[in-house]
Amino acid sequence: MSVFLLLFTFFNFLIVFKKRNEIEKGVFTRYRIAILESLLAISFLIFIFVEVLSFFNRLNSFYLSVCWFFAFLLSSIIAYPQRDALSDGKKLLSQFGILNQKYRWFLFFLLLSGIIPLLFLAIYNAPNNRDSMDYHLARIVQWVQNGNVDHFATNFPQQLYHNVFAEYVVTNVMLLCGNDYFINCIQFVAMLAVLLYGTLIAKHFGLSYKGQIMALVLIFSFPIELLESTTTQNDIFASFYLMAFVYYGLKLINNQQFVWRDGFFMVLALSLGGFTKYPVFLRFAIQLMVWNCLFEKIWIATEYEITGFRILRISTRFFIILCQKL
C-alpha cells in the first residue's frame, strides 16, 4: 500500500529531527519532540500536496502516491547521513527501567486497558457518527470524485464552510490505503500527540516525571479524548495543533535567544490548527495578539521576545485575510 510511503517519510523526519534535538536534556524529551515535530512536518506536506494536486484537478491515489514517493526519496537523502540518530534506542529502554516500579506498572496498565483497546476500536469500527456521515467524510467523497477540493453543489452548507484540514489528512490516508479501514486512526494518533505535548508542557513548568505522568493521565481522562479518539471528527486533531502552538510559544518566551525553528513550528501549528477548526484561531490566537500589544507597550521586553510575538501577530493577520478569501 502507498500509505507506507507516508509512514517511511515520517520515520525519515524522525531521524532528522532527533538529530536536531540533541541539545535537549533527557532521551525521552528528545524522542518526544522529534516525534511531534515529524507530525507537524508531515502535516505541512499533506497541505501542500492536496492544494497543488487540487489546483491541477489531479487529486487521486496515483498522483498522491507519486508526491509521497518523492517526499520519501528526498527525506531519505537527508536522513541517511544522520541514520545514527536513533542509535540510543537501548538507552531509551534503560531510562524507562529507572522509573519507579509502581509508575512502570501504572503506565503498562494504562497502555493495556486504555490505549490498545482504543486502537482496536479505531481500526475495527467503521466511521458511524453523525458529523462524519453529514460532512466530515461526505465532502471527501465529492473531492475525490471531482479531483479537487473546490466548492460543489450541496444542500448541506457544513460540507463547504467548516474548516477542512482534518479532512485533507483523511483524504490522504484514504487514497493511499485504497479504503477507509485506518481513517479513524488519525484522531487516535492526534490523541497520542496531545498526550505527549501535555507531558512536555508539564516538563517545561518544572514537573518531574511523576508530574508529567499525572498530566498525561489527566488529559487522557477527558471524556472527549476517549470518545472521539476512534472517530473521524476533528476536535482532538485541532487540539494537537493548539497544544503545539502553546508549547513552542512557551519555548520562545523562555529561550535566552530567538530560535527560528521554534518560531516556524509555532506559526505552522497555529495556521494548521486554524485551518482545522476556527475556534483554535479565533478563541486563542486573537487573545494572544491583544496580549502581544500590551506586552510591547507595558513590559520591558528583550528584542527576541518582541520579534517572536511580532511573527505571531503577522501570521495571525495573514490567516484572517486568508479566511476572508476562502
Side-chain angles (χ1 to χ4, degrees):
M1 291 188 297
S2 299
V3 71
F4 285 110
L5 293 172
L6 188 154
L7 297 176
F8 292 152
T9 303
F10 168 81
F11 184 75
N12 287 335
F13 280 134
L14 181 63
I15 293 174
V16 173
F17 289 122
K18 171 62 171 54
K19 193 70 173 180
R20 298 291 190 275
N21 285 296
E22 291 298 332
I23 59 173
E24 296 287 345
K25 294 182 179 179
V27 63
F28 276 117
T29 301
R30 291 195 292 270
Y31 272 96
R32 281 181 288 178
I33 295 176
I35 290 171
L36 296 169
E37 290 181 348
S38 300
L39 290 175
L40 289 174
I42 290 292
S43 300
F44 180 69
L45 288 182
I46 287 175
F47 175 79
I48 296 297
F49 292 162
V50 171
E51 289 293 335
V52 171
L53 292 178
S54 176
F55 180 80
F56 293 103
N57 296 317
R58 293 293 185 270
L59 184 59
N60 56 53
S61 58
F62 173 76
Y63 285 101
L64 196 59
S65 298
V66 171
C67 289
W68 281 108
F69 172 76
F70 282 107
F72 167 68
L73 190 64
L74 293 175
S75 62
S76 297
I77 294 173
I78 298 173
Y80 183 75
Q82 308 174 49
R83 59 189 181 278
D84 61 336
L86 304 183
S87 59
D88 57 353
K90 293 182 179 179
K91 184 178 179 181
L92 183 68
L93 295 176
S94 64
Q95 288 292 317
F96 183 77
I98 296 176
L99 299 179
N100 184 287
Q101 186 176 8
K102 293 181 180 180
Y103 284 92
R104 291 203 306 270
W105 278 108
F106 177 77
L107 290 175
F108 178 75
F109 175 77
L110 181 66
L111 177 68
L112 192 63
S113 63
I115 303 297
I116 292 179
L118 289 176
L119 176 60
F120 171 77
L121 290 175
I123 298 174
Y124 182 77
N125 285 340
N128 55 18
N129 64 78
R130 181 171 180 175
D131 285 350
S132 296
M133 298 296 102
D134 284 346
Y135 63 94
H136 286 304
L137 298 181
R139 56 183 169 187
I140 293 175
V141 176
Q142 193 70 45
W143 291 346
V144 174
Q145 178 180 318
N146 296 342
N148 57 56
V149 294
D150 296 344
H151 282 188
F152 50 87
T154 179
N155 62 355
F156 201 81
Q158 285 89 335
Q159 293 181 10
L160 303 179
Y161 298 112
H162 280 198
N163 265 358
V164 295
F165 185 67
E167 286 74 25
Y168 279 18
V169 181
V170 174
T171 302
N172 271 256
V173 174
M174 184 180 294
L175 289 176
L176 293 175
C177 290
N179 52 58
D180 63 354
Y181 289 158
F182 300 104
I183 58 177
N184 285 334
C185 295
I186 295 169
Q187 277 251 117
F188 177 81
V189 172
M191 179 201 69
L192 297 181
V194 168
L195 295 178
L196 291 180
Y197 268 127
T199 61
L200 285 173
I201 292 173
K203 178 180 174 63
H204 183 84
F205 284 113
L207 274 67
S208 66
Y209 76 86
K210 297 179 181 179
Q212 295 173 48
I213 292 175
M214 180 59 67
L216 182 147
V217 172
L218 290 175
I219 296 173
F220 185 69
S221 65
F222 289 166
I224 195 171
E225 287 280 309
L226 300 174
L227 297 177
E228 283 200 14
S229 60
T230 59
T231 72
T232 54
Q233 293 176 263
N234 61 5
D235 300 283
I236 301 176
F237 197 73
S239 299
F240 159 57
Y241 295 113
L242 175 62
M243 295 284 280
F245 170 71
V246 171
Y247 173 69
Y248 289 108
L250 290 171
K251 286 187 68 177
L252 279 176
I253 292 173
N254 288 279
N255 284 340
Q256 296 300 316
Q257 58 183 359
F258 183 79
V259 180
W260 285 100
R261 191 183 69 179
D262 291 341
F264 170 77
F265 281 121
M266 183 183 70
V267 172
L268 177 63
L270 172 63
S271 302
L272 295 179
F275 202 46
T276 302
K277 206 171 182 67
Y278 287 119
V280 171
F281 179 76
L282 299 175
R283 188 174 298 171
F284 297 102
I286 290 181
Q287 295 175 9
L288 290 173
M289 276 181 55
V290 174
W291 181 58
N292 173 212
C293 296
L294 297 174
F295 180 82
E296 289 191 35
K297 293 181 179 180
I298 298 176
W299 290 17
I300 301 175
T302 61
E303 182 178 356
Y304 77 90
E305 290 172 323
I306 293 177
T307 302
F309 282 102
R310 281 176 177 166
I311 291 175
L312 172 60
R313 189 168 61 191
I314 293 171
S315 64
T316 305
R317 289 172 179 169
F318 171 77
F319 190 79
I320 291 175
I321 296 173
L322 178 63
C323 289
Q324 291 172 345
K325 293 184 178 295
L326 292 177

